[in-house]
Structures are given as C-alpha cells and as structure tokens.
Amino acid sequence: MTKKEQIYEGKAKKVFATEDPELLIVSYKDDATAFNGLKKGTIAGKGVINNKMSNMLMRRLAKAGIPTHYVEELSDRETLVKKVSIVPLEVIIRNIAAGSFSKRYGVKEGFVFERPTIEFSYKNDELGDPLINEYHALAIKLATEEEIETIKKYAFAINEQLKSFWAECGVTLVDFKLEFGRLSDGTIILADEISPDTCRFWDSKTGEKLDKDRFRRDLGGVEEAYEEVMKRILEHK
Ligand code: ADP
Ligand code: UDP
C-alpha cells in the first residue's frame, strides 16, 4: 500500500493517507507528552514497541470477536489501519485505583475494585479532555445512545481479554484508555493504540510500574520499563 500525504501529526503518531480512501498508515514516534502536552520528552524505541504491542493485542482482540482498525503491520513503526471517524470520547476502564481517580476521590493508589469502572473524557485538547458523563455526551451529540452502549460493551469485553492475557505475562492491568471510531457505514470499531502510553501496567509480583507513569512521575528507567513489558509479551506462549 503506497503512503501518500501526511494528514495529521499528533503527540505520539503521524497519520498518512493511502491510495485506498478507506485505509490509513499510522507511524509511531518516540515523542512522549504528559499533562496535556505540558511535559515533553522522548522515549528511545517507544514507537517500535507501541506499534508492535498494539498490533499484537489488537490481533488477539480480533480473535476474541472485537472489531478493530488493525489491518497489517508494515514495518517496525508503521501499520496499515482502517480509517475511522474517531468518536471524540476517551474511554477509560479501571480495575485498580490510580492516577486521576485516586486524586479526584482521595482513594489510595492500589485499591482493588470489586468490579471494573468506566468513565469518559471529551477528547478535546483545548478543553484539556474534561471528564464527561453519558447524558452530556448525548446532549452535545458526541455519539448516539446506541453507539455508547456498543462502546461500553466492547470496552468491558476488551478489559476481560486483556486482564487475563497480561496476568499470564505476570503483569497487572491497572487501567487503560481506548478510542473507538466509525467506519464509513457507521460500524463502531476499536481504533488508536493499546500500549504502555495508554495503559497502567504493574509487575504482578513486585508492583513495579512498567508504563508511562515512569515518564510522568520522573521515576527513571522509562525505556527499560517499555522493553520489559514487550519482553513479557514475546515470552508469552
Ligand atoms: P493525539 O491526537 O492525542 O496527539 P496521536 O499522536 O496518537 O494522538 O495521534 C493519532 C491520532 O489518530 C489520534 O487523534 C487518534 O484519535 C487518531 N486515530 C487513531 N486511529 C485512527 C483511525 N483508525 N482512523 C482515524 N484516526 C485515527
Ligand atoms: N490515559 C491515556 N491518555 C489520556 C489520559 C489517560 O492514555 O489522555 C490513560 C492512562 O495512561 C491511564 C488511564 O488512561 O492508563 C487512566 O488515566 P488517568 O485518568 O488516571 O489520568 P492520568 O493520571 O494519566 O492523568
């Protein structure tokens, strides 16, 4: 598939058109940002790891019946995906309290929930991705009621799949962010990426953080953490 013009450059990826109007090429960068772009840096090798990890996880999800944008890995950093119109909601699933949840509700990081939770943020950089509830999302027409129901169903199903896969890799899946989009016929599919940029991973034995929190919180060993979670996947049988 021939790469055509760049149509978007985001914080972590570039997006290119292809000769097929229904397909895009995403190219993963080593750039890292946090706190809505206030903190900037690079994580050497991150683009390659996020590309390969996201593709691997999406292939697993597809086998479990969850429709995704993944089509084909083209190179270390580039993947062919189905073009969608992104539903402007960041969908966050949590199994354990951490990050903004802990801060907002005064709950200690590490508090394990009996049931996973879901929340939405309005994907809007100018507004700083504010938390939004379903009624508000419907009111401003970010998605239809039916789309929100589909997204919730997929998001919890993805959590079950990923939680058990990561457990087999010795990694606890604490929380993660998903993005969904609409194909030209309106079908909702999983898009964007699933990686240490968008998930919290804790080593199941030691509790060590193996994700972007090492960058956000200046914990050091950032590259090593990304490499370690990738290694766990590659060693998984
Ligand atoms: P951001 O826009 O938050 O800086 P990225 O650097 O990851 O994020 O840029 C990738 C962009 O591509 C995101 O805005 C994401 O919503 C969008 N995107 C991801 N998958 C698809 C897809 N299959 N079709 C269209 N857009 C997509
Ligand atoms: N997350 C993300 N992109 C965002 C915000 C959050 O990928 O713009 C992920 C984050 O990596 C974590 C989960 O969503 O795995 C929950 O993040 P939280 O709301 O706790 O926010 P944070 O503490 O990252 O500000």
PDB file of all heavy atoms in Angstrom, residues 8-15 24 26 29 69 81-86 90 123 125 179 191-193, ligand 1:
ATOM      1  N   TYR A   8      -2.143  14.149   9.400  1.00  0.00           N
ATOM      2  CA  TYR A   8      -2.221  14.588  10.802  1.00  0.00           C
ATOM      3  C   TYR A   8      -0.920  14.240  11.497  1.00  0.00           C
ATOM      4  O   TYR A   8      -0.317  13.208  11.222  1.00  0.00           O
ATOM      5  CB  TYR A   8      -3.397  13.862  11.491  1.00  0.00           C
ATOM      6  CG  TYR A   8      -3.580  14.202  12.942  1.00  0.00           C
ATOM      7  CD1 TYR A   8      -4.171  15.408  13.321  1.00  0.00           C
ATOM      8  CD2 TYR A   8      -3.163  13.334  13.950  1.00  0.00           C
ATOM      9  CE1 TYR A   8      -4.342  15.727  14.662  1.00  0.00           C
ATOM     10  CE2 TYR A   8      -3.331  13.642  15.293  1.00  0.00           C
ATOM     11  CZ  TYR A   8      -3.924  14.852  15.642  1.00  0.00           C
ATOM     12  OH  TYR A   8      -4.091  15.164  16.958  1.00  0.00           O
ATOM     13  N   GLU A   9      -0.477  15.123  12.374  1.00  0.00           N
ATOM     14  CA  GLU A   9       0.616  14.736  13.275  1.00  0.00           C
ATOM     15  C   GLU A   9       0.158  14.996  14.692  1.00  0.00           C
ATOM     16  O   GLU A   9      -0.141  16.133  15.068  1.00  0.00           O
ATOM     17  CB  GLU A   9       1.906  15.510  12.984  1.00  0.00           C
ATOM     18  CG  GLU A   9       2.971  15.147  14.026  1.00  0.00           C
ATOM     19  CD  GLU A   9       4.400  15.450  13.637  1.00  0.00           C
ATOM     20  OE1 GLU A   9       4.636  16.082  12.596  1.00  0.00           O
ATOM     21  OE2 GLU A   9       5.284  15.030  14.429  1.00  0.00           O
ATOM     22  N   GLY A  10       0.081  13.943  15.476  1.00  0.00           N
ATOM     23  CA  GLY A  10      -0.341  14.057  16.870  1.00  0.00           C
ATOM     24  C   GLY A  10       0.864  14.046  17.778  1.00  0.00           C
ATOM     25  O   GLY A  10       1.997  14.208  17.325  1.00  0.00           O
ATOM     26  N   LYS A  11       0.600  13.833  19.061  1.00  0.00           N
ATOM     27  CA  LYS A  11       1.682  13.852  20.041  1.00  0.00           C
ATOM     28  C   LYS A  11       2.542  12.593  19.948  1.00  0.00           C
ATOM     29  O   LYS A  11       3.731  12.639  20.189  1.00  0.00           O
ATOM     30  CB  LYS A  11       1.091  14.014  21.450  1.00  0.00           C
ATOM     31  CG  LYS A  11       0.337  15.354  21.599  1.00  0.00           C
ATOM     32  CD  LYS A  11      -0.182  15.602  23.001  1.00  0.00           C
ATOM     33  CE  LYS A  11      -1.431  14.818  23.356  1.00  0.00           C
ATOM     34  NZ  LYS A  11      -2.662  15.248  22.682  1.00  0.00           N
ATOM     35  N   ALA A  12       1.942  11.479  19.581  1.00  0.00           N
ATOM     36  CA  ALA A  12       2.675  10.209  19.581  1.00  0.00           C
ATOM     37  C   ALA A  12       2.741   9.522  18.221  1.00  0.00           C
ATOM     38  O   ALA A  12       3.528   8.595  18.038  1.00  0.00           O
ATOM     39  CB  ALA A  12       2.037   9.252  20.593  1.00  0.00           C
ATOM     40  N   LYS A  13       1.892   9.959  17.284  1.00  0.00           N
ATOM     41  CA  LYS A  13       1.849   9.284  15.988  1.00  0.00           C
ATOM     42  C   LYS A  13       1.629  10.281  14.849  1.00  0.00           C
ATOM     43  O   LYS A  13       1.077  11.356  15.074  1.00  0.00           O
ATOM     44  CB  LYS A  13       0.699   8.246  15.968  1.00  0.00           C
ATOM     45  CG  LYS A  13       0.809   7.185  17.041  1.00  0.00           C
ATOM     46  CD  LYS A  13      -0.191   6.056  16.859  1.00  0.00           C
ATOM     47  CE  LYS A  13      -1.612   6.296  17.275  1.00  0.00           C
ATOM     48  NZ  LYS A  13      -1.841   6.608  18.688  1.00  0.00           N
ATOM     49  N   LYS A  14       2.062   9.869  13.653  1.00  0.00           N
ATOM     50  CA  LYS A  14       1.710  10.599  12.439  1.00  0.00           C
ATOM     51  C   LYS A  14       0.730   9.719  11.677  1.00  0.00           C
ATOM     52  O   LYS A  14       0.815   8.493  11.752  1.00  0.00           O
ATOM     53  CB  LYS A  14       2.942  10.830  11.567  1.00  0.00           C
ATOM     54  CG  LYS A  14       3.948  11.788  12.163  1.00  0.00           C
ATOM     55  CD  LYS A  14       5.139  11.927  11.234  1.00  0.00           C
ATOM     56  CE  LYS A  14       6.172  12.838  11.863  1.00  0.00           C
ATOM     57  NZ  LYS A  14       7.415  12.872  11.070  1.00  0.00           N
ATOM     58  N   VAL A  15      -0.165  10.359  10.927  1.00  0.00           N
ATOM     59  CA  VAL A  15      -1.156   9.605  10.173  1.00  0.00           C
ATOM     60  C   VAL A  15      -1.054  10.007   8.699  1.00  0.00           C
ATOM     61  O   VAL A  15      -1.006  11.203   8.386  1.00  0.00           O
ATOM     62  CB  VAL A  15      -2.581   9.889  10.717  1.00  0.00           C
ATOM     63  CG1 VAL A  15      -3.615   9.076   9.955  1.00  0.00           C
ATOM     64  CG2 VAL A  15      -2.659   9.591  12.224  1.00  0.00           C
ATOM     65  N   LEU A  24      -5.577   3.953   6.219  1.00  0.00           N
ATOM     66  CA  LEU A  24      -4.574   4.941   6.615  1.00  0.00           C
ATOM     67  C   LEU A  24      -3.319   4.197   7.049  1.00  0.00           C
ATOM     68  O   LEU A  24      -3.368   3.013   7.393  1.00  0.00           O
ATOM     69  CB  LEU A  24      -5.069   5.738   7.834  1.00  0.00           C
ATOM     70  CG  LEU A  24      -6.317   6.607   7.690  1.00  0.00           C
ATOM     71  CD1 LEU A  24      -6.701   7.155   9.060  1.00  0.00           C
ATOM     72  CD2 LEU A  24      -6.050   7.752   6.716  1.00  0.00           C
ATOM     73  N   VAL A  26      -0.505   4.557  10.051  1.00  0.00           N
ATOM     74  CA  VAL A  26      -0.083   5.289  11.245  1.00  0.00           C
ATOM     75  C   VAL A  26       1.387   4.985  11.477  1.00  0.00           C
ATOM     76  O   VAL A  26       1.850   3.859  11.269  1.00  0.00           O
ATOM     77  CB  VAL A  26      -0.909   4.947  12.522  1.00  0.00           C
ATOM     78  CG1 VAL A  26      -2.323   5.450  12.412  1.00  0.00           C
ATOM     79  CG2 VAL A  26      -0.906   3.476  12.821  1.00  0.00           C
ATOM     80  N   LYS A  29       5.871   7.474  16.774  1.00  0.00           N
ATOM     81  CA  LYS A  29       7.062   8.269  17.111  1.00  0.00           C
ATOM     82  C   LYS A  29       7.583   7.908  18.514  1.00  0.00           C
ATOM     83  O   LYS A  29       6.874   7.293  19.305  1.00  0.00           O
ATOM     84  CB  LYS A  29       6.703   9.763  17.122  1.00  0.00           C
ATOM     85  CG  LYS A  29       5.974  10.252  15.875  1.00  0.00           C
ATOM     86  CD  LYS A  29       5.881  11.766  15.835  1.00  0.00           C
ATOM     87  CE  LYS A  29       4.863  12.344  16.798  1.00  0.00           C
ATOM     88  NZ  LYS A  29       4.746  13.809  16.694  1.00  0.00           N
ATOM     89  N   HIS A  69      -9.335  -1.642  14.176  1.00  0.00           N
ATOM     90  CA  HIS A  69      -8.890  -0.976  12.936  1.00  0.00           C
ATOM     91  C   HIS A  69      -7.661  -1.645  12.327  1.00  0.00           C
ATOM     92  O   HIS A  69      -7.276  -1.322  11.207  1.00  0.00           O
ATOM     93  CB  HIS A  69      -8.633   0.521  13.189  1.00  0.00           C
ATOM     94  CG  HIS A  69      -7.399   0.836  13.969  1.00  0.00           C
ATOM     95  ND1 HIS A  69      -6.860   2.112  14.006  1.00  0.00           N
ATOM     96  CD2 HIS A  69      -6.589   0.076  14.740  1.00  0.00           C
ATOM     97  CE1 HIS A  69      -5.777   2.108  14.758  1.00  0.00           C
ATOM     98  NE2 HIS A  69      -5.585   0.897  15.212  1.00  0.00           N
ATOM     99  N   VAL A  81      -4.124   0.698   8.831  1.00  0.00           N
ATOM    100  CA  VAL A  81      -5.351   0.576   9.631  1.00  0.00           C
ATOM    101  C   VAL A  81      -6.560   1.015   8.819  1.00  0.00           C
ATOM    102  O   VAL A  81      -6.425   1.751   7.837  1.00  0.00           O
ATOM    103  CB  VAL A  81      -5.284   1.419  10.942  1.00  0.00           C
ATOM    104  CG1 VAL A  81      -4.141   0.970  11.837  1.00  0.00           C
ATOM    105  CG2 VAL A  81      -5.214   2.916  10.658  1.00  0.00           C
ATOM    106  N   LYS A  82      -7.730   0.573   9.270  1.00  0.00           N
ATOM    107  CA  LYS A  82      -8.967   1.047   8.660  1.00  0.00           C
ATOM    108  C   LYS A  82      -9.210   2.474   9.120  1.00  0.00           C
ATOM    109  O   LYS A  82      -9.090   2.775  10.313  1.00  0.00           O
ATOM    110  CB  LYS A  82     -10.144   0.167   9.102  1.00  0.00           C
ATOM    111  CG  LYS A  82     -10.074  -1.223   8.538  1.00  0.00           C
ATOM    112  CD  LYS A  82     -11.257  -2.047   9.009  1.00  0.00           C
ATOM    113  CE  LYS A  82     -11.062  -3.494   8.586  1.00  0.00           C
ATOM    114  NZ  LYS A  82     -11.951  -4.402   9.321  1.00  0.00           N
ATOM    115  N   LYS A  83      -9.562   3.329   8.177  1.00  0.00           N
ATOM    116  CA  LYS A  83      -9.835   4.726   8.523  1.00  0.00           C
ATOM    117  C   LYS A  83     -11.198   4.831   9.208  1.00  0.00           C
ATOM    118  O   LYS A  83     -12.181   4.270   8.729  1.00  0.00           O
ATOM    119  CB  LYS A  83      -9.835   5.558   7.246  1.00  0.00           C
ATOM    120  CG  LYS A  83     -10.122   7.023   7.464  1.00  0.00           C
ATOM    121  CD  LYS A  83     -10.122   7.752   6.138  1.00  0.00           C
ATOM    122  CE  LYS A  83     -10.357   9.226   6.349  1.00  0.00           C
ATOM    123  NZ  LYS A  83     -10.113   9.956   5.104  1.00  0.00           N
ATOM    124  N   VAL A  84     -11.211   5.524  10.329  1.00  0.00           N
ATOM    125  CA  VAL A  84     -12.491   5.768  11.007  1.00  0.00           C
ATOM    126  C   VAL A  84     -12.656   7.249  11.276  1.00  0.00           C
ATOM    127  O   VAL A  84     -11.692   8.022  11.220  1.00  0.00           O
ATOM    128  CB  VAL A  84     -12.594   5.019  12.368  1.00  0.00           C
ATOM    129  CG1 VAL A  84     -12.602   3.520  12.175  1.00  0.00           C
ATOM    130  CG2 VAL A  84     -11.503   5.460  13.337  1.00  0.00           C
ATOM    131  N   SER A  85     -13.879   7.609  11.597  1.00  0.00           N
ATOM    132  CA  SER A  85     -14.106   8.936  12.156  1.00  0.00           C
ATOM    133  C   SER A  85     -14.147   8.693  13.670  1.00  0.00           C
ATOM    134  O   SER A  85     -14.995   7.947  14.185  1.00  0.00           O
ATOM    135  CB  SER A  85     -15.411   9.476  11.566  1.00  0.00           C
ATOM    136  OG  SER A  85     -16.153  10.091  12.553  1.00  0.00           O
ATOM    137  N   ILE A  86     -13.152   9.266  14.349  1.00  0.00           N
ATOM    138  CA  ILE A  86     -12.990   8.974  15.783  1.00  0.00           C
ATOM    139  C   ILE A  86     -14.163   9.535  16.594  1.00  0.00           C
ATOM    140  O   ILE A  86     -14.562  10.681  16.407  1.00  0.00           O
ATOM    141  CB  ILE A  86     -11.648   9.579  16.305  1.00  0.00           C
ATOM    142  CG1 ILE A  86     -10.437   8.844  15.688  1.00  0.00           C
ATOM    143  CG2 ILE A  86     -11.581   9.584  17.828  1.00  0.00           C
ATOM    144  CD1 ILE A  86     -10.095   7.488  16.286  1.00  0.00           C
ATOM    145  N   GLU A  90     -12.588   9.671  25.150  1.00  0.00           N
ATOM    146  CA  GLU A  90     -11.565   8.756  25.649  1.00  0.00           C
ATOM    147  C   GLU A  90     -12.280   7.861  26.644  1.00  0.00           C
ATOM    148  O   GLU A  90     -12.927   8.346  27.579  1.00  0.00           O
ATOM    149  CB  GLU A  90     -10.430   9.539  26.316  1.00  0.00           C
ATOM    150  CG  GLU A  90      -9.718  10.427  25.315  1.00  0.00           C
ATOM    151  CD  GLU A  90      -8.333  10.854  25.741  1.00  0.00           C
ATOM    152  OE1 GLU A  90      -8.051  10.870  26.953  1.00  0.00           O
ATOM    153  OE2 GLU A  90      -7.536  11.168  24.838  1.00  0.00           O
ATOM    154  N   LYS A 123     -12.678  14.152  24.230  1.00  0.00           N
ATOM    155  CA  LYS A 123     -11.376  14.275  23.563  1.00  0.00           C
ATOM    156  C   LYS A 123     -11.303  15.648  22.896  1.00  0.00           C
ATOM    157  O   LYS A 123     -11.775  15.830  21.781  1.00  0.00           O
ATOM    158  CB  LYS A 123     -11.238  13.139  22.540  1.00  0.00           C
ATOM    159  CG  LYS A 123      -9.824  12.868  22.065  1.00  0.00           C
ATOM    160  CD  LYS A 123      -9.799  11.629  21.186  1.00  0.00           C
ATOM    161  CE  LYS A 123      -8.818  11.738  20.034  1.00  0.00           C
ATOM    162  NZ  LYS A 123      -7.432  11.939  20.383  1.00  0.00           N
ATOM    163  N   ASP A 125      -8.373  18.781  23.101  1.00  0.00           N
ATOM    164  CA  ASP A 125      -7.136  19.308  23.682  1.00  0.00           C
ATOM    165  C   ASP A 125      -7.303  20.707  24.271  1.00  0.00           C
ATOM    166  O   ASP A 125      -6.776  20.997  25.346  1.00  0.00           O
ATOM    167  CB  ASP A 125      -5.999  19.309  22.641  1.00  0.00           C
ATOM    168  CG  ASP A 125      -5.367  17.926  22.471  1.00  0.00           C
ATOM    169  OD1 ASP A 125      -5.514  17.098  23.397  1.00  0.00           O
ATOM    170  OD2 ASP A 125      -4.757  17.666  21.417  1.00  0.00           O
ATOM    171  N   GLU A 179      -9.910   4.282  22.364  1.00  0.00           N
ATOM    172  CA  GLU A 179     -10.644   5.168  21.460  1.00  0.00           C
ATOM    173  C   GLU A 179     -11.360   4.302  20.440  1.00  0.00           C
ATOM    174  O   GLU A 179     -10.796   3.328  19.947  1.00  0.00           O
ATOM    175  CB  GLU A 179      -9.687   6.130  20.731  1.00  0.00           C
ATOM    176  CG  GLU A 179      -9.078   7.154  21.657  1.00  0.00           C
ATOM    177  CD  GLU A 179      -8.172   8.146  20.940  1.00  0.00           C
ATOM    178  OE1 GLU A 179      -8.357   8.407  19.737  1.00  0.00           O
ATOM    179  OE2 GLU A 179      -7.265   8.664  21.608  1.00  0.00           O
ATOM    180  N   ALA A 191     -10.103   1.687  17.725  1.00  0.00           N
ATOM    181  CA  ALA A 191      -9.051   2.351  16.939  1.00  0.00           C
ATOM    182  C   ALA A 191      -7.898   2.749  17.860  1.00  0.00           C
ATOM    183  O   ALA A 191      -7.745   2.216  18.961  1.00  0.00           O
ATOM    184  CB  ALA A 191      -9.632   3.560  16.217  1.00  0.00           C
ATOM    185  N   ASP A 192      -7.084   3.639  17.392  1.00  0.00           N
ATOM    186  CA  ASP A 192      -5.912   4.188  18.097  1.00  0.00           C
ATOM    187  C   ASP A 192      -4.949   3.084  18.546  1.00  0.00           C
ATOM    188  O   ASP A 192      -4.542   2.292  17.715  1.00  0.00           O
ATOM    189  CB  ASP A 192      -6.343   5.115  19.228  1.00  0.00           C
ATOM    190  CG  ASP A 192      -5.237   6.122  19.543  1.00  0.00           C
ATOM    191  OD1 ASP A 192      -4.728   6.753  18.592  1.00  0.00           O
ATOM    192  OD2 ASP A 192      -4.853   6.260  20.703  1.00  0.00           O
ATOM    193  N   GLU A 193      -4.531   3.065  19.811  1.00  0.00           N
ATOM    194  CA  GLU A 193      -3.481   2.127  20.230  1.00  0.00           C
ATOM    195  C   GLU A 193      -3.733   1.593  21.631  1.00  0.00           C
ATOM    196  O   GLU A 193      -4.490   2.194  22.400  1.00  0.00           O
ATOM    197  CB  GLU A 193      -2.111   2.826  20.197  1.00  0.00           C
ATOM    198  CG  GLU A 193      -1.937   3.928  21.227  1.00  0.00           C
ATOM    199  CD  GLU A 193      -0.519   4.529  21.225  1.00  0.00           C
ATOM    200  OE1 GLU A 193       0.403   3.930  21.803  1.00  0.00           O
ATOM    201  OE2 GLU A 193      -0.355   5.617  20.636  1.00  0.00           O
TER     202      GLU A 193
HETATM  203  P1  ADP B   1      -3.130  12.851  19.736  1.00  0.00           P
HETATM  204  O1  ADP B   1      -4.040  13.271  18.635  1.00  0.00           O
HETATM  205  O2  ADP B   1      -3.915  12.689  21.040  1.00  0.00           O
HETATM  206  O3  ADP B   1      -1.937  13.708  19.894  1.00  0.00           O
HETATM  207  P2  ADP B   1      -1.678  10.610  18.465  1.00  0.00           P
HETATM  208  O4  ADP B   1      -0.357  11.288  18.354  1.00  0.00           O
HETATM  209  O5  ADP B   1      -1.701   9.196  18.916  1.00  0.00           O
HETATM  210  O6  ADP B   1      -2.703  11.345  19.454  1.00  0.00           O
HETATM  211  O7  ADP B   1      -2.341  10.758  17.041  1.00  0.00           O
HETATM  212  C1  ADP B   1      -3.067   9.777  16.417  1.00  0.00           C
HETATM  213  C2  ADP B   1      -4.430  10.332  16.037  1.00  0.00           C
HETATM  214  O8  ADP B   1      -5.047   9.459  15.106  1.00  0.00           O
HETATM  215  C3  ADP B   1      -5.350  10.460  17.229  1.00  0.00           C
HETATM  216  O9  ADP B   1      -6.008  11.713  17.179  1.00  0.00           O
HETATM  217  C4  ADP B   1      -6.333   9.307  17.046  1.00  0.00           C
HETATM  218  O10 ADP B   1      -7.599   9.623  17.556  1.00  0.00           O
HETATM  219  C5  ADP B   1      -6.362   9.156  15.549  1.00  0.00           C
HETATM  220  N1  ADP B   1      -6.647   7.792  15.077  1.00  0.00           N
HETATM  221  C6  ADP B   1      -6.273   6.610  15.631  1.00  0.00           C
HETATM  222  N2  ADP B   1      -6.693   5.559  14.908  1.00  0.00           N
HETATM  223  C7  ADP B   1      -7.361   6.074  13.839  1.00  0.00           C
HETATM  224  C8  ADP B   1      -8.040   5.505  12.717  1.00  0.00           C
HETATM  225  N3  ADP B   1      -8.107   4.186  12.548  1.00  0.00           N
HETATM  226  N4  ADP B   1      -8.631   6.362  11.835  1.00  0.00           N
HETATM  227  C9  ADP B   1      -8.560   7.695  12.010  1.00  0.00           C
HETATM  228  N5  ADP B   1      -7.933   8.295  13.038  1.00  0.00           N
HETATM  229  C10 ADP B   1      -7.337   7.503  13.939  1.00  0.00           C
END
